[in-house]
Amino acid sequence: MHTEKVNIKSYSRKDLQHVVAELGEPGYRANQIHRWLFNEQVENFESMTNLGAKLRNRLSNRYVIQSCSIVKKQLDPEKKNGMGTSKFLVKLHDEQTVETVLIPAEDRNTVCVSSQVGCPLRCTFCATGYMGFTRNLNAAEMAEQVYLVNNLLTATPTNHVTNVVFMGMGEPLLNTSNVIEAIETLSDKDYSFSLPQRKITISTVGLIPQIDAIARSGIKTKLAVSLHAANQQKRASLMPVAKEHTLDGLHNALERYVDLTGKPVTLVYMLLEGINDTMEDAKSLVAFCSGFLCKINLIDYNSIVNMKFKPVETEWRDRFIRILVGAGLNVTVRKSYGTSINAACGQLALKEKTLPADRFIK
Ligand code: SF4
């Protein structure tokens, strides 16, 4: 009977222990294989020279090594120095595709990683939410998005990925165990890539049990929460998931998170004209921020093919900021990169998917 070979990269490090145990091999072989796959990034079992020919043969009889690849690149034409924001269409192990974004700045190169094909949460302002949900990415598919971009960057001496944000397509905390596994691989101190966990940010819409789980997990990454409104009704109308994961519950979870980790949380707030930008909204945000260490990251809305939301005027945004700063909050305004190639926040969606007509400006 013909059995299809399994992609060995789809296994976690723990699963690899079972793979080698089934072959009657000692546990340390799992670490050796993991190292060949993710540190050396080999494409065949023959290259795993410390395994012995017999084991290599048995592995290749059962498994294949399939890697992700970049199938399309888009450079932001707004940048002229060849290092502009870049969007990559990445083909996964099963031919599905996701988008990965490189955001270069003077002192850093940040890769924005997708964690799901599509997303089930349907935030009203987000292009990915309208694609529907296909599947979670496994840990290898997330780590490989970073490696692929890093391999492009390191073609230029001294250039490499310095930061990673799980802020691309999908909600990372609906795929928590694979995200943690990917982070552990990316930050493995024995591997040459070895990105410190403090340079990695997980961005969530605010899933309460998962925030607790991340706090308890011991990983040292940063946490960003997409807040977008500090009024329960408004937030629930922007983000349907907020009906279940309420503001009160989220506030308590963030208090617990900061208590346990000692690290501040970044609250991401996208100003939408006439929706969440009143002075009352600013005061609600100030009230929400009491009781735990946090900073506010205000971002501009990036238009998505005629979707009905609009960014706020600069002067209006400055008034909003004055209230926050006046209340002693730490506020940063994030300049949006990559809007011209639909690589900015909320804009990631595969081109062939279309947005529903009811989201268009009438
Ligand atoms: S904003 Fe994030 S969680 Fe919401 S629909 Fe988009 S990808 Fe999903």
Side-chain angles (χ1 to χ4, degrees):
M1 193 180 71
H2 173 74
T3 344
E4 213 164 283
K5 292 182 186 178
V6 176
N7 180 16
I8 197 161
K9 283 190 169 178
S10 63
Y11 291 119
S12 67
R13 210 185 269 246
K14 200 166 152 208
D15 293 336
L16 284 176
Q17 293 283 346
H18 299 297
V19 167
V20 298
E22 266 180 25
L23 294 169
E25 293 285 333
Y28 68 85
R29 293 287 190 210
N31 286 336
Q32 288 178 320
I33 294 169
H34 194 274
R35 189 179 180 90
W36 282 115
L37 294 174
F38 295 99
N39 191 49
E40 315 300 335
Q41 298 176 29
V42 300
E43 295 293 337
N44 57 65
F45 292 103
E46 270 313 292
S47 304
M48 300 184 177
T49 47
N50 59 356
L51 294 190
K54 199 171 149 205
L55 175 55
R56 296 201 303 259
N57 268 339
R58 293 174 75 199
L59 286 168
S60 55
N61 287 338
R62 291 183 182 209
Y63 304 104
V64 285
I65 301 174
Q66 283 167 324
S67 302
C68 298
S69 57
I70 292 174
V71 290
K72 196 172 161 192
K73 290 181 208 166
Q74 269 181 285
L75 274 183
D76 188 344
E78 286 165 20
K79 306 282 167 189
K80 306 281 186 212
N81 62 1
M83 281 299 298
T85 299
S86 313
K87 185 165 79 168
F88 304 98
L89 188 64
V90 173
K91 189 168 75 177
L92 305 176
H93 299 164
D94 63 352
E95 309 282 311
Q96 294 280 349
T97 49
V98 291
E99 292 178 340
T100 306
V101 179
L102 165 67
I103 308 148
E106 260 171 40
D107 58 339
R108 61 181 65 190
N109 287 310
T110 304
V111 176
C112 180
V113 171
S114 291
S115 56
Q116 299 183 308
V117 182
C119 179
L121 296 185
R122 295 187 165 269
C123 301
T124 51
F125 47 80
C126 173
T128 309
Y130 292 112
M131 290 173 52
F133 172 67
T134 305
R135 70 168 175 86
N136 282 335
L137 268 61
N138 62 39
E141 290 168 327
M142 288 182 268
E144 282 178 57
Q145 289 175 61
V146 180
Y147 294 148
L148 283 168
V149 177
N150 195 56
N151 291 345
L152 287 177
L153 284 172
T154 51
T156 319
T158 73
N159 213 356
H160 57 95
V161 172
T162 59
N163 296 70
V164 168
V165 291
F166 284 83
M167 211 180 269
M169 301 167 85
E171 162 55 53
L173 295 190
L174 287 178
N175 188 13
T176 309
S177 58
N178 286 334
V179 166
I180 291 180
E181 169 94 15
I183 288 167
E184 285 170 346
T185 298
L186 291 168
S187 62
D188 191 317
K189 289 194 175 65
D190 292 331
Y191 291 1
S192 54
F193 185 70
S194 185
L195 188 67
Q197 290 188 353
R198 67 190 152 77
K199 302 276 190 177
I200 301 175
T201 302
I202 298 175
S203 174
T204 175
V205 288
L207 305 182
I208 293 166
Q210 288 88 334
I211 289 173
D212 285 328
I214 285 285
R216 286 193 305 265
S217 72
I219 57 166
K220 307 287 181 214
T221 50
K222 293 181 185 158
L223 182 70
V225 175
S226 300
L227 196 69
H228 305 321
N231 164 298
Q232 172 59 23
Q233 210 183 349
K234 284 192 184 189
R235 190 163 190 266
S237 70
L238 285 172
M239 306 160 78
V241 70
K243 289 176 193 148
E244 186 187 342
H245 299 262
T246 63
L247 268 180
D248 285 347
L250 178 59
H251 186 274
N252 295 341
L254 296 180
E255 277 188 343
R256 291 192 294 274
Y257 177 89
V258 173
D259 279 352
L260 209 58
T261 64
K263 287 194 299 226
V265 174
T266 299
L267 299 175
V268 181
Y269 197 104
M270 182 164 56
L271 282 165
L272 302 165
E273 189 186 77
I275 307 271
N276 62 359
D277 63 340
T278 65
M279 299 309 115
E280 215 38 57
D281 290 319
K283 287 176 194 161
S284 301
L285 180 53
V286 169
F288 183 82
C289 291
S290 74
F292 63 94
L293 269 180
C294 65
K295 52 186 178 181
I296 313 290
N297 194 349
L298 280 184
I299 55 174
D300 288 329
Y301 175 68
N302 301 302
S303 302
I304 306 170
V305 274
N306 297 332
M307 215 190 260
K308 62 186 180 185
F309 300 111
K310 287 189 194 152
V312 297
E313 301 287 335
T314 310
E315 279 165 32
W316 193 259
R317 184 182 67 190
D318 290 346
R319 277 182 66 190
F320 196 92
I321 293 171
R322 276 198 293 277
I323 293 181
L324 305 182
V325 173
L329 294 177
N330 179 351
V331 183
T332 53
V333 181
R334 191 167 82 213
K335 180 169 164 25
S336 195
Y337 296 102
T339 49
S340 66
I341 54 168
N342 286 345
C345 262
Q347 288 187 317
L348 296 185
L350 305 177
K351 208 175 159 196
E352 63 269 26
K353 309 273 180 183
T354 49
L355 300 172
D358 66 337
R359 300 293 163 183
F360 287 76
I361 298 169
K362 299 259 177 3

